[in-house]
Amino acid sequence: MIYNNKIAIIAVNSIKITGYCDKQEVGMKKLLYVLLAAALLFAAGTSLFAGGQKAVEGEEEVDKSIEVLHWWTSGGEAAALNVLKKDLEAQGFEWIDSPIAGGGGTQAMTVLRSRATAGNPPAAVQMLGFDILDWAELGFLANLNDLAAKENWDAVIPEALKKFSKYEGNWIAAPVNVHSTNWVWANKKILDELNIAEPTTWNEYIAALDKAQAAGYIALAHGGQAWQDATIFDGVVISTGGPQFYKKALIDLDQNTLKSDTMLEVFKRMAKLRSYVDDNFSGRDWNLASSMVIEGKAAFQMMGDWAKGEFFAAGKVPGVDFIAFRTPGTQGTVTFNSDQFVMFKVDESKRAAQRAMASAVLSPTFQVAFNTVKGSVPARTDVSDAEFTIIGKKGMKDLAEANKNGTLFGSLAHRHGAPAAVMEAIYDVVTAHFNGEYGAERAVQELANAVAAAQ
Ligand code: BGC
């Protein structure tokens, strides 16, 4: 079994490193996920059994330390995380930090897979969407029902989040926030200097990018990493085809929609955006791209609202130094992702710390303190927007309206649209096309094939 685990992990990772997959590789990847799942299930069975034997009421020791695995390593992210760390420390818990750099969590999830298969998972882990459900299905996650009932989570967590916080009716995750991905961040000084009004349509946006480029600025700050390319893709899909097209293509994974002329146009628009990116974009971290806008080297960045945390950390003021608007053509639609903390079934002695952490992240005061720094909005529906800036208020309003109008969708790029295997297959195609490996016609075909193979 251990042998299988190693093979599965190493093979899955090496396929990722080689980058773009053909159909066979995707099939192989799928097989390896199945293998990995089987290996993990076995490991879960053994460690849970061991944990169960220790659970003697009243006799267990209390371990006040808690290891937290996360990918919040940029300036804004670290400042937000510090709010949680301080909260737990004030309650007498010791925070053991396990940061795994890499936006979007790709690297963090790889590390988690190896630690869990080695029988050594961290007590608490930052996690997104379908990954939560996958780990729950494998039996690794602690049940938080008691706490959820005591604190009445059911009444205050929106349904869209509960879909990922609960597995088979049981609470298995504590949501920290709601982010959304269809945003553009802009340097206000550059816009004023070039007389650029906030673009509301795709054509206006292209005209604005053209103007910034012609004036010698980097028009679009971007980091060439698959998850960043996919983050842009979320918005371009909606902007080109509308909200129902996004749903059919990236959530329902409908083959005809994936192969449609509209999808061809999506890839053409992606190629157009590529023409506004500077030559050094490859591999650049997202927060460095945000810095380019903050420092006035670049005009725009298309990124989730965690970018706001970077502007705040740099002391920038919304409406004065920077503005944010929905990806032109996506107004009224929100592609969301919610960071949640899951508690792994580790030694009983860690239960108190895990419980304290889950309770802390759901407390209304923490929700305000954390989310005003992070750039996200609260995961609870009963928190006032009074402490939030103009962009945070807009984020909360957009979210509530999209939820009411049926235009709130999980972000594909951030693990809330489709399970990891499908998401990664889409990443590969979007990135290959963005890097000029092939044109729009082939990208459409590759996309449909990759999705079919990964399902
Ligand atoms: C997470 C954010 C994080 C961003 C960049 C997203 O997937 O939800 O919390 O700031 O990745 O790392």
Side-chain angles (χ1 to χ4, degrees), residues 275-286:
S275 72
Y276 297 112
V277 164
D278 67 311
D279 288 345
N280 298 323
F281 85 111
S282 188
R284 175 188 290 138
D285 287 331
W286 69 272

Side-chain angles (χ1 to χ4, degrees), residues 277-329:
V277 164
D278 67 311
D279 288 345
N280 298 323
F281 85 111
S282 188
R284 175 188 290 138
D285 287 331
W286 69 272
N287 52 314
L288 299 182
S290 302
S291 293
M292 290 161 63
V293 178
I294 291 171
E295 289 162 13
K297 293 183 184 138
F300 300 101
Q301 181 188 20
M302 300 171 79
M303 187 45 62
D305 45 9
W306 45 90
K308 203 197 315 169
E310 297 306 298
F311 285 88
F312 288 158
K316 300 297 176 191
V317 179
V320 177
D321 303 307
F322 69 103
I323 63 163
F325 49 91
R326 292 288 174 188
T327 306

Side-chain angles (χ1 to χ4, degrees), residues 372-391:
T372 46
V373 178
K374 181 71 170 66
S376 37
V377 302
R380 298 176 63 116
T381 50
D382 60 346
V383 173
S384 152
D385 68 0
E387 301 285 316
F388 288 80
T389 63
I390 180 171
I391 304 172

Side-chain angles (χ1 to χ4, degrees), residues 6 55 112 139 221 239 251 264 377 441:
K6 281 199 178 138
L112 177 65
S239 177
I251 293 179
L264 184 66
V377 302
E441 278 81 9

Side-chain angles (χ1 to χ4, degrees), residues 187-194 320-322:
N187 181 295
K188 177 88 167 45
K189 231 170 107 199
I190 298 181
L191 299 201
D192 289 349
E193 177 201 316
L194 302 179
V320 177
D321 303 307
F322 69 103

Side-chain angles (χ1 to χ4, degrees), residues 71-371:
W71 64 93
W72 285 332
T73 55
S74 75
E77 291 173 331
L81 188 70
N82 211 29
V83 176
L84 181 56
K85 188 173 168 227
K86 289 263 158 359
D87 188 326
L88 284 174
E89 283 173 352
Q91 295 183 52
F93 293 98
E94 185 200 347
W95 178 279
I96 302 176
D97 204 34
S98 284
I100 311 291
T106 311
Q107 286 84 340
M109 290 303 103
T110 304
V111 169
L112 177 65
R113 278 197 293 273
S114 15
R115 288 207 36 191
T117 18
N120 177 33
V125 178
Q126 176 194 357
M127 211 178 263
L128 295 175
F130 281 93
D131 289 358
I132 301 175
L133 303 182
D134 285 347
W135 285 101
E137 190 182 351
L138 292 171
F140 275 83
L141 305 186
N143 181 315
L144 303 173
N145 283 351
D146 286 357
L147 185 65
K150 185 169 158 246
E151 299 184 348
N152 206 9
W153 293 2
D154 252 314
V156 294
I157 309 290
E159 287 305 321
L161 301 196
K162 272 191 222 166
K163 188 177 157 204
F164 300 106
S165 318
K166 283 178 148 186
Y167 180 71
E168 294 183 338
N170 296 313
W171 283 93
I172 35 83
V176 188
N177 62 6
V178 188
H179 273 301
S180 57
T181 60
N182 54 323
W183 287 103
V184 182
W185 306 88
N187 181 295
K188 177 88 167 45
K189 231 170 107 199
I190 298 181
L191 299 201
D192 289 349
E193 177 201 316
L194 302 179
N195 212 6
I196 297 175
E198 181 184 312
T200 56
T201 63
W202 186 258
N203 288 344
E204 283 174 18
Y205 184 43
I206 294 300
L209 287 158
D210 280 336
K211 239 181 178 176
Q213 195 170 48
Y217 291 106
I218 294 166
L220 190 60
H222 183 64
Q225 295 172 347
W227 73 271
Q228 293 190 56
D229 301 339
T231 302
I232 292 187
F233 187 70
D234 271 1
V236 174
V237 169
I238 302 166
S239 177
T240 313
Q244 292 314 319
F245 176 78
Y246 177 89
K247 178 174 179 292
K248 270 203 198 149
L250 301 184
I251 293 179
D252 302 343
L253 308 174
D254 175 65
Q255 276 290 315
N256 288 335
T257 311
L258 290 167
K259 282 191 239 167
S260 63
D261 286 349
T262 310
M263 193 55 85
L264 184 66
E265 181 59 22
V266 168
F267 280 105
K268 287 185 178 161
R269 287 185 175 190
M270 289 294 289
K272 182 73 182 158
L273 290 177
R274 169 74 171 81
S275 72
Y276 297 112
V277 164
D278 67 311
D279 288 345
N280 298 323
F281 85 111
S282 188
R284 175 188 290 138
D285 287 331
W286 69 272
N287 52 314
L288 299 182
S290 302
S291 293
M292 290 161 63
V293 178
I294 291 171
E295 289 162 13
K297 293 183 184 138
F300 300 101
Q301 181 188 20
M302 300 171 79
M303 187 45 62
D305 45 9
W306 45 90
K308 203 197 315 169
E310 297 306 298
F311 285 88
F312 288 158
K316 300 297 176 191
V317 179
V320 177
D321 303 307
F322 69 103
I323 63 163
F325 49 91
R326 292 288 174 188
T327 306
T330 73
Q331 297 90 333
T333 302
V334 171
T335 37
F336 81 97
N337 59 299
S338 164
D339 292 299
Q340 311 214 17
F341 276 106
V342 296
M343 304 300 154
F344 270 70
K345 287 177 179 164
V346 288
D347 198 83
E348 291 286 321
S349 59
K350 304 221 183 262
R351 280 271 170 90
Q354 290 181 315
R355 220 179 132 80
M357 179 161 166
S359 176
V361 304
L362 256 313
S363 100
T365 36
F366 170 81
Q367 287 277 324
V368 173
F370 178 90
N371 287 308

